[in-house]
């Protein structure tokens, strides 16, 4: 580090001042001789000018340096609130749990699907169908509630003058044969039209035509209140066994 020229000049003047040979005297008021030996500002200025003119001295030199100022003006960074950190932690744990649950459900569904597929391809019997109905409307269609030969029993009623009873027996017997012998899905609350559509969807044309003729006469006698002739009903009585007692093709 180089000293400024003023300091060097002052040091040179001090070095030229006379030094006493004896021990230092006790401090006291300045004497006229000591006051006359003091260095005035003119001498200092002359010495400084002389030193500055000396080519062997480098003189004054300005040095620039960098200092960090942005860091001091930047506001301190705030830490996030603890509740916010806890919320994100909770959401992360919940999402992980949901992924496990969804994965377990997917695996269970895949296992069930695979089991059913293997069971179907293995030829195992399917679940049994729903039991057949035993009553349609107010009519009991259980096979044991009907005579063995329904057509012959209906002819006996016609001969006794009970035409409507004979027609009712034929219709009840036709419903029983359709449900319990041929497996036609007829519900308990089915109307005549719904029963006819179910028979047409399951049985052949000859059996469907017989059932349609029977339903037509039944509607005329029950709903229209007509006096149905004996001959059409007798024809249905004689054709009952051939149409509905025979085994399904």
């Amino acid at each position: 580090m180089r000293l400024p020229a003023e300091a060097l000049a002052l040091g040179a003047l001090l070095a030229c001042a006379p030094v006493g040979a004896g021990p230092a005297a006790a401090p006291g008021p300045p004497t006229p001789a000591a006051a006359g030996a003091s260095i005035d500002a003119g001498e200092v200025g002359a010495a400084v000018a002389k030193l500055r003119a000396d080519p062997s001295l480098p003189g004054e030199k300005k040095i620039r340096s960098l200092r960090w100022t942005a860091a001091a003006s930047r506001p301190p960074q705030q830490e996030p609130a603890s509740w916010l950190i806890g919320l994100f932690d909770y959401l992360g744990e919940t999402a992980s749990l949901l992924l496990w649950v969804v994965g377990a459900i997917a695996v269970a569904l895949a296992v069930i699907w695979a089991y059913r597929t293997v069971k179907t391809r293995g030829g195992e019997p399917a679940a049994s169908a729903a039991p057949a109905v035993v009553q349609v409307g107010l009519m009991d269609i259980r096979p044991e509630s009907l005579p063995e030969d329904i057509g012959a029993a209906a002819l006996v009623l016609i001969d006794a003058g009970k035409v409507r009873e004979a027609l009712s027996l034929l219709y009840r017997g036709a419903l029983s044969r359709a449900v319990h012998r041929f497996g036609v899905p007829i519900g308990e609350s089915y109307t005549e039209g719904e029963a006819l559509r179910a028979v047409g969807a399951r049985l052949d044309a000859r059996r469907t035509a017989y059932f349609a003729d029977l339903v037509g006469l039944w509607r005329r006698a029950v709903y229209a209140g007509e006096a149905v002739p004996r001959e059409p009903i007798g024809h249905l009585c004689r054709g009952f066994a051939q149409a509905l007692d025979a085994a399904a093709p």
Side-chain angles (χ1 to χ4, degrees), residues 2-247:
R2 300 184 180 274
L3 296 177
E6 290 83 351
L8 293 176
L10 181 60
L13 292 175
L14 293 175
C16 296
V19 180
T31 61
S38 62
I39 302 174
D40 57 3
E43 294 178 352
V44 172
V48 169
K50 184 178 180 181
L51 290 175
R52 286 180 177 177
D54 190 354
S56 61
L57 295 178
E60 296 181 354
K61 184 179 181 181
K62 293 183 178 180
I63 300 176
R64 299 179 181 271
S65 62
L66 298 178
R67 292 181 300 172
W68 292 102
T69 58
S73 61
R74 183 181 302 174
Q77 187 176 3
Q78 297 181 353
E79 295 292 334
S82 58
W83 66 268
L84 186 60
I85 298 176
L87 176 61
F88 280 104
D89 292 341
Y90 172 76
L91 292 178
E93 295 176 0
T94 305
S96 177
L97 179 60
L98 287 177
L99 287 177
W100 278 104
V101 172
V102 171
I105 294 175
V107 171
L109 292 176
V111 171
I112 293 174
W113 175 83
Y115 172 76
R116 290 183 176 178
T117 302
V118 173
K119 183 178 180 180
T120 302
R121 294 182 179 178
E124 296 186 11
S128 59
V133 298
V134 297
Q135 183 174 339
V136 177
L138 299 177
M139 295 182 179
D140 187 359
I141 64 171
R142 293 175 300 164
E144 59 270 19
S145 68
L146 296 166
E148 186 67 25
D149 191 344
I150 295 176
L155 282 174
V156 172
L157 291 174
I158 291 176
D159 293 338
K162 300 179 180 180
V163 178
R164 184 166 178 171
E165 287 79 357
L167 191 59
S168 176
L169 177 61
L170 289 175
Y171 182 61
R172 192 160 60 96
L175 290 174
S176 179
R177 293 295 191 269
V179 172
H180 296 283
R181 176 165 294 191
F182 299 107
V184 178
I186 296 177
E188 294 183 0
S189 60
Y190 271 28
T191 63
E192 291 82 359
E194 292 172 337
L196 179 58
R197 285 193 294 270
V199 168
R202 181 64 64 91
L203 302 184
D204 59 277
R206 181 174 61 88
R207 290 185 171 90
T208 301
Y210 177 88
F211 198 88
D213 292 341
L214 178 57
V215 168
L217 289 177
W218 170 257
R219 284 174 171 173
R220 289 172 57 187
V222 175
Y223 298 111
E226 298 181 9
V228 181
R230 294 178 58 179
E231 182 56 31
I233 301 177
H235 177 73
L236 291 175
C237 291
R238 289 185 291 272
F240 187 92
Q242 184 179 3
L244 299 177
D245 281 343

